[in-house]
Amino acid sequence: MAYSENVIDHYENPRNVGTLDKSDADVGTGLVGAPACGDVMKLQIKVSPEGIIEDAKFKTFGCGSAIASSSLVTEWVKGKTLDEAGSIKNSQIAQHLALPPVKIHCSVLAEDAIKAAIADYRAKHPADDGKVA
Amino acid sequence: MSLDRVISGETAAGQRPCWSCQAPLSVRAAFCHACGRIQPPAALDHFRRLNLAPRFDLPTADLEQQYFGLQRSLHPDRFAGKSSREKALSLQHATALNEAYDVLRQPLRRGEYLLELRGRPLNGADGGTIDDEELLTQAMAMRERLADAAGEAEVLALIASAEADAAAILAEIEGAFAQEDLASAARLLTRLRYLAKLTAEARARVAGAGSGVQA
């Protein structure tokens, strides 16, 4: 399959690969998988006291499109509020990376991963709705 | 399949006329009892296609006996001198038999198919996502071990350990199906899928392809 330039760029120079401390109160972790292709994706966000995502890391084992989708999302969410980050749609990811129809599920995985990371962070901060007082 | 049944003019439930001599036949009949001509394949699940009871612990010998036996009478090689219609029908049968055999001979696909038949398809089998943390944490750890493996010996050890895990999981899946515990069967099959993926990636690495290992 021919990958688009944007996919190849993110695949060859993935942004924000790494791990944040899962037990840190400021870190939200999303772990999702696509069993059909055996992919597994971890996406983590570090949230400032003001409720802004100040760092994001990912670790993905999967195809080029899955890696590019998670790399792109970590780039996009930095500097965003949780609500803004949570409104990212897989269609935007797929469009930016020009994913072919058979690879749309990779962008769904990335959308689910950021949503799971936000949910994990919010579960750690039930009272302040994402903001640390 | 349904189109065949429409074309062949199926009328009463479970019956249709032979396309050639119009003798009434069971929809499941592969051959006409009156004129002997091959009939369109019936719409059957993969187990019934091979005259097997739907079960996970399927003996390979039974599967092969049915598959090769049916192919012997239905394969296009047997219809070389027949009409184009009969050749086409034999090809339809052979294709359906191949598909059934291919699914049923692989434990992972057989298990997933069985869940589908029971109306409980696997989560994420259709390309959807799952968030089973324990399972995914395990999968992530295995893939990290593979990515960090220093040399071929370490990769081979990882393959051996994954195969041992897979064998143990297969036994558990048999137990789950035996007790009709479909939820456990589904979860175990997903674990098996991730193990199969790990083994495939590890083998590719040993073969020097080294693809798909990232981050």
Side-chain angles (χ1 to χ4, degrees):
Chain A
M1 171 180 335
Y3 282 118
S4 75
E5 265 176 48
N6 278 337
V7 170
I8 292 167
D9 179 36
H10 275 277
Y11 178 71
E12 289 182 346
N13 312 292
R15 279 55 139 189
N16 309 311
V17 171
T19 300
L20 299 170
D21 182 0
K22 188 175 157 38
S23 58
D24 190 333
D26 299 337
V27 170
T29 300
L31 185 60
V32 293
C37 31
D39 287 0
V40 53
M41 179 182 290
K42 182 170 74 178
L43 204 151
Q44 296 183 296
I45 50 172
K46 187 175 169 57
V47 184
S48 77
E50 294 74 35
I52 304 294
I53 297 172
E54 52 188 18
D55 200 5
K57 298 279 184 202
F58 82 94
K59 205 165 199 185
T60 294
F61 292 98
C63 66
S65 298
I67 289 161
S69 295
S70 37
S71 171
L72 178 66
V73 166
T74 55
E75 255 196 341
W76 276 358
V77 298
K78 278 197 207 179
K80 284 195 162 70
T81 65
L82 293 178
D83 284 342
E84 286 166 352
S87 69
I88 291 174
K89 292 278 171 287
N90 84 282
S91 52
Q92 297 167 286
I93 302 165
Q95 190 180 14
H96 185 86
L97 296 172
L99 296 181
V102 294
K103 291 290 178 184
I104 297 299
H105 66 275
C106 299
S107 63
V108 174
L109 198 59
E111 179 191 325
D112 289 354
I114 182 64
K115 291 214 161 97
I118 293 168
D120 180 55
Y121 177 83
R122 286 196 162 132
K124 286 179 177 177
H125 302 263
D128 48 47
D129 191 36
K131 293 196 181 71
V132 178
Chain B
M1 214 70 75
S2 59
L3 188 64
D4 292 330
R5 291 166 75 175
V6 172
I7 291 169
S8 67
E10 183 185 334
T11 48
Q15 287 233 323
R16 67 179 168 197
C18 168
W19 59 270
S20 179
C21 74
Q22 309 304 318
L25 300 175
S26 151
V27 288
R28 290 195 54 174
F31 293 93
C32 174
H33 56 74
C35 70
R37 290 213 160 83
I38 188 169
Q39 301 297 310
L44 298 171
D45 69 59
H46 293 329
F47 288 99
R48 287 194 174 78
R49 170 95 46 220
L50 295 170
N51 300 318
L52 295 163
R55 54 193 270 207
F56 182 73
D57 54 339
L58 181 61
T60 308
D62 290 5
L63 175 64
E64 292 189 342
Q65 193 189 346
Q66 289 299 328
Y67 170 71
F68 289 112
L70 287 162
Q71 281 290 29
R72 218 169 290 131
S73 59
L74 292 162
H75 194 272
D77 286 354
R78 304 251 318 166
F79 296 82
K82 303 280 169 113
S83 69
S84 60
R85 171 128 196 204
E86 287 165 286
K87 280 182 195 159
L89 290 175
S90 117
L91 186 60
Q92 285 177 26
H93 274 284
T95 305
L97 288 172
N98 283 340
E99 201 190 323
Y101 179 64
D102 205 42
V103 168
L104 297 190
R105 75 191 169 86
Q106 303 174 63
L108 180 59
R109 295 189 66 191
R110 181 168 71 241
E112 289 176 358
Y113 184 71
L114 202 48
L115 283 182
E116 234 180 275
L117 282 184
R118 301 276 165 89
R120 197 193 182 293
L122 212 56
N123 277 345
D126 54 355
T129 60
I130 57 166
D131 62 356
D132 183 330
E133 191 177 344
E134 188 194 345
L135 191 153
L136 290 170
T137 303
Q138 264 178 14
M140 182 68 87
M142 288 190 308
R143 295 296 293 271
E144 280 170 346
R145 280 217 302 279
L146 175 61
D148 295 343
E152 189 174 313
E154 227 174 294
V155 177
L156 290 174
L158 202 56
I159 294 175
S161 131
E163 283 175 344
D165 287 352
I169 289 175
L170 273 183
E172 282 187 65
I173 295 172
E174 276 192 32
F177 272 117
Q179 292 167 33
E180 282 294 315
D181 181 356
L182 300 185
S184 295
R187 193 154 185 275
L188 290 161
L189 280 162
T190 305
R191 277 180 64 194
L192 195 60
R193 234 178 202 281
Y194 274 100
L195 273 175
K197 177 70 175 185
L198 173 84
T199 310
E201 291 286 338
R203 284 194 202 290
R205 202 172 134 182
V206 172
S211 71
V213 178
Q214 175 60 49

